[in-house]
């Protein structure tokens, strides 16, 4: 592969927690040189057509997005690997970690192989599939974890269906522990959260919406942490959104359990009042929380208590969203909006760029045992160039995803992806 030089960039290093001006040389798909000195010595190693002048724009590790739903097999009209891959590249996402909540669920090596083959054929970014923890995500019988690991599964989850039977969960976690497999849980007490469309409180009562207490998240997390203590399994909570859940997470980490946690862009940047007059594009799972919860989750990301930020990309067609709020499907697309929406927190002074990319790139890579997410010699050249200051108004119909269900339609945003590289190859140019 011909060498590529990215010059005059503001380089974000999430490991060092720094932003420095410099130049990056890419050869054979990896970063081979990073220098803050004059780039003259590196310019001779890259042909003129392979020199990219960043003009002071930001260069950062590509995003590793845990929890992307691609609707193949079963609901390809909502999202395909081709459209999801294009949306990911346009959003600076270089690795999609896909969910198994498809129709049918990804619970066999054959289904996993189908996904890997489809992704290789049409997706311009890396795709790492997760597999179901129980067959059919029904919570009754665990999947063949060993065979699925051999077939390429990077983690095991039943997504938004917590396993109700603790004996089944215990067996699965014990088996996963023996194989070193990662379990991803959705911390919700399933009885309390069943049928909920909003977070309990004055707003939900005034709107007459079926609601759930944030304590359901705390109870679900407590149960899962107890199971981790019993089995010693590796565990990641997909979304921590409630202030009440944070002390339990902190205790688990202080006790040395192999536990990490994530949150979503929606719970970091929106609150329950955004639902306003039953706007179903704001219906997500878990439901949007109170403003004090949002602020607490931001602080948890800043301190490192919450490790990962993800888009929780969940495509839904118009027919499933254009319904009364209670009946409408949950979820929002987020591959393309992830970075510009999160930059709201950068511009407000809540999170700096190294902290953002620690949660978007470095920590998810570490959790999955990947080499990506670092700005260092020898690291894969999975990179994103962005202008954090470029303003625009989001038009959902210009999104590359097949489904257009975003809560940020017509929102004024600041920050755009200019280029995305996967293995040193440009897969997106604005």
């Amino acid at each position: 592969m011909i060498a590529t030089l990215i010059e005059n960039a503001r380089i974000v290093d999430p490991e060092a927690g720094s932003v420095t001006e410099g130049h990056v040389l890419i050869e054979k798909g990896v970063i081979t040189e990073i220098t803050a000195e004059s780039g003259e010595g590196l310019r001779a190693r890259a042909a003129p057509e392979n020199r990219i002048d960043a003009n002071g724009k930001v260069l950062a590790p590509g995003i590793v997005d845990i929890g992307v739903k691609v609707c193949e097999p079963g609901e390809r009209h909502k999202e395909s690997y081709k459209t999801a891959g294009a949306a990911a590249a346009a959003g600076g996402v270089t690795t999609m970690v896909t969910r198994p909540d498809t129709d049918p669920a990804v619970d066999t090596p054959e289904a996993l192989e189908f996904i890997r083959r489809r992704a290789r054929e049409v997706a311009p970014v890396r795709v790492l599939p997760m597999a179901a923890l129980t067959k059919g995500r029904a919570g009754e019988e665990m999947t063949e974890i060993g065979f699925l690991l051999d077939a390429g599964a990077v983690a095991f989850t039943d997504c938004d269906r917590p396993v109700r039977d603790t004996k089944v969960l215990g067996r699965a976690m014990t088996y996963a522990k023996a194989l070193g497999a990662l379990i991803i849980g959705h911390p919700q007490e399933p009885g309390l959260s069943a049928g909920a469309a909003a977070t309990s409180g004055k707003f939900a009562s005034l709107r007459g919406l079926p609601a759930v207490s944030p304590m359901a998240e705390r109870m679900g997390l407590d149960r899962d942490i107890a199971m981790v203590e019993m089995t010693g399994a590796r565990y990641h909570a997909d979304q921590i959104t409630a202030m009440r859940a944070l002390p339990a997470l902190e205790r688990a980490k202080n006790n040395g359990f192999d536990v990490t946690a994530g949150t979503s862009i929606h719970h970091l940047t929106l609150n329950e009042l955004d639902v306003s007059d039953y706007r179903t594009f704001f219906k997500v799972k878990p439901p949007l929380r109170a403003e004090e919860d949002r602020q607490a989750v931001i602080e948890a990301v800043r301190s490192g208590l919450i490790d990962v930020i993800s888009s929780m990309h969940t495509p839904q067609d118009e027919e499933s969203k254009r319904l009364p709020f209670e009946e409408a499907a949950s979820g929002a697309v987020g591959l393309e909006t992830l970075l510009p929406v999160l930059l709201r927190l950068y511009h407000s002074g809540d999170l700096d760029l190294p902290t953002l990319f620690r949660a978007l790139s470095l920590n998810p890579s570490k959790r999955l045992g990947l080499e990506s997410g670092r700005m260092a010699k020898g690291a894969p050249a999975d990179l994103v160039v962005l202008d954090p200051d470029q303003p625009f108004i989001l038009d959902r119909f210009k999104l590359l995803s097949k489904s257009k269900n975003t809560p940020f339609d017509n929102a004024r945003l600041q920050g755009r992806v200019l280029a995305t590289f996967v293995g040193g190859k440009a897969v997106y140019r604005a």
Side-chain angles (χ1 to χ4, degrees):
M1 184 178 290
I2 300 170
T4 299
L5 177 64
I6 303 175
E7 307 178 86
N8 306 313
R10 290 166 55 203
I11 301 170
V12 177
D13 186 340
E15 277 188 304
S18 64
V19 181
T20 56
E21 295 184 5
H23 321 275
V24 174
L25 185 70
I26 301 166
E27 296 175 293
K28 297 181 179 178
V30 300
I31 298 170
T32 53
E33 295 289 343
I34 301 175
T35 178
E37 307 297 327
S38 168
E40 285 301 318
L42 300 182
R43 297 183 92 236
R45 294 165 64 178
E49 64 270 20
N50 292 319
R51 297 174 196 154
I52 300 166
D53 191 344
N55 289 312
K57 301 300 187 287
V58 169
L59 176 65
I63 297 167
V64 178
D65 193 1
I66 297 180
V68 174
K69 181 170 181 177
V70 182
C71 304
E72 289 188 75
E75 296 178 303
R76 203 174 163 200
H77 65 285
K78 293 183 179 180
E79 191 79 286
S80 67
Y81 277 96
K82 184 176 183 179
T83 56
V93 175
T94 52
T95 300
M96 296 190 298
V97 184
T98 58
R99 306 198 317 245
D101 53 343
T102 49
D103 183 18
V106 182
D107 58 4
T108 65
E110 293 78 15
L112 203 68
E113 178 55 34
F114 165 80
I115 285 170
R116 296 186 67 191
R117 185 174 66 251
R118 284 288 298 152
R120 281 195 303 267
E121 290 171 354
V122 298
V125 301
R126 304 184 196 273
V127 175
L128 301 177
M130 297 189 284
L133 183 62
T134 66
K135 292 182 179 179
R137 298 171 53 236
E140 297 174 357
E141 183 181 358
M142 70 178 183
T143 53
E144 297 283 1
I145 293 175
F147 290 151
L148 287 161
L149 273 177
D150 292 342
V154 296
F156 295 84
T157 177
D158 277 355
C159 303
D160 61 355
R161 292 185 190 169
V163 178
R164 289 173 176 264
D165 189 327
T166 50
K167 187 169 285 188
V168 172
L169 180 61
R171 286 172 182 160
M173 293 179 87
T174 300
Y175 201 72
K177 162 64 177 174
L179 295 171
L182 176 66
I183 302 292
I184 295 186
H186 181 71
Q188 287 293 314
E189 202 293 312
L192 283 176
S193 57
T199 298
S200 59
K202 182 179 179 181
F203 179 79
S205 298
L206 288 172
R207 289 293 185 272
L209 295 173
V212 60
S213 167
M215 284 300 292
E217 183 172 298
R218 161 73 179 279
M219 293 164 70
L221 184 61
D222 278 335
R223 193 279 301 255
D224 286 1
I225 289 171
M227 299 300 289
V228 169
E229 183 174 4
M230 184 177 83
T231 63
R234 300 170 60 220
Y235 176 85
H236 176 78
D238 64 353
Q239 293 184 83
I240 296 298
T241 64
M243 179 171 55
R244 296 286 186 94
L246 295 173
L249 176 62
E250 187 171 21
R251 285 194 301 272
K253 289 191 168 189
N254 290 340
N255 286 336
F257 301 152
D258 195 349
V259 170
T260 53
T263 193
S264 81
I265 53 167
H266 308 110
H267 294 93
L268 283 169
T269 59
L270 303 170
N271 65 31
E272 60 185 350
L273 301 181
D274 286 301
V275 171
S276 185
D277 295 323
Y278 307 102
R279 297 164 71 188
T280 59
F281 279 8
F282 289 82
K283 185 181 181 183
V284 294
K285 191 181 288 186
L288 295 175
R289 305 300 193 187
E291 177 63 13
E292 61 183 5
D293 287 301
R294 188 182 78 88
Q295 292 293 338
V297 170
I298 291 172
E299 174 55 36
V301 171
R302 184 163 50 237
S303 70
L305 178 59
I306 289 179
D307 308 86
V308 172
I309 301 172
S310 62
S311 69
M312 293 310 292
H313 179 82
T314 305
Q316 301 287 5
D317 54 22
E318 298 287 318
E319 289 78 10
S320 59
K321 278 292 188 181
R322 299 295 186 191
L323 292 170
F325 197 89
E326 292 179 45
E327 301 171 23
S330 296
V333 293
L335 285 167
E336 287 171 84
T337 56
L338 175 56
L339 203 44
V341 168
L342 277 179
L343 286 170
R344 284 178 166 181
L345 301 179
Y346 163 69
H347 291 296
S348 66
D350 289 304
L351 299 173
D352 59 22
L353 289 174
T355 301
L356 278 177
F357 281 94
R358 180 185 69 195
L360 288 170
S361 306
L362 178 64
N363 286 347
S365 295
K366 283 183 174 180
R367 195 52 169 146
L368 297 171
L370 309 177
E371 291 297 316
S372 55
R374 298 178 300 121
M375 191 62 72
K377 290 183 182 180
D382 294 356
L383 304 168
V384 57
V385 180
L386 66 133
D387 181 350
D389 300 313
Q390 184 177 335
F392 69 103
I393 297 175
L394 183 75
D395 180 352
R396 72 186 184 102
F397 294 106
K398 292 183 180 179
L399 295 175
L400 299 181
S401 293
K402 277 190 179 181
S403 295
K404 313 297 182 185
N405 54 308
T406 174
F408 302 107
D409 188 31
N410 291 319
R412 295 179 181 273
L413 301 175
Q414 192 174 357
R416 300 204 82 158
V417 172
L418 303 179
T420 304
F421 298 85
V422 176
K425 177 185 177 183
V427 295
Y428 173 78
R429 297 279 181 99

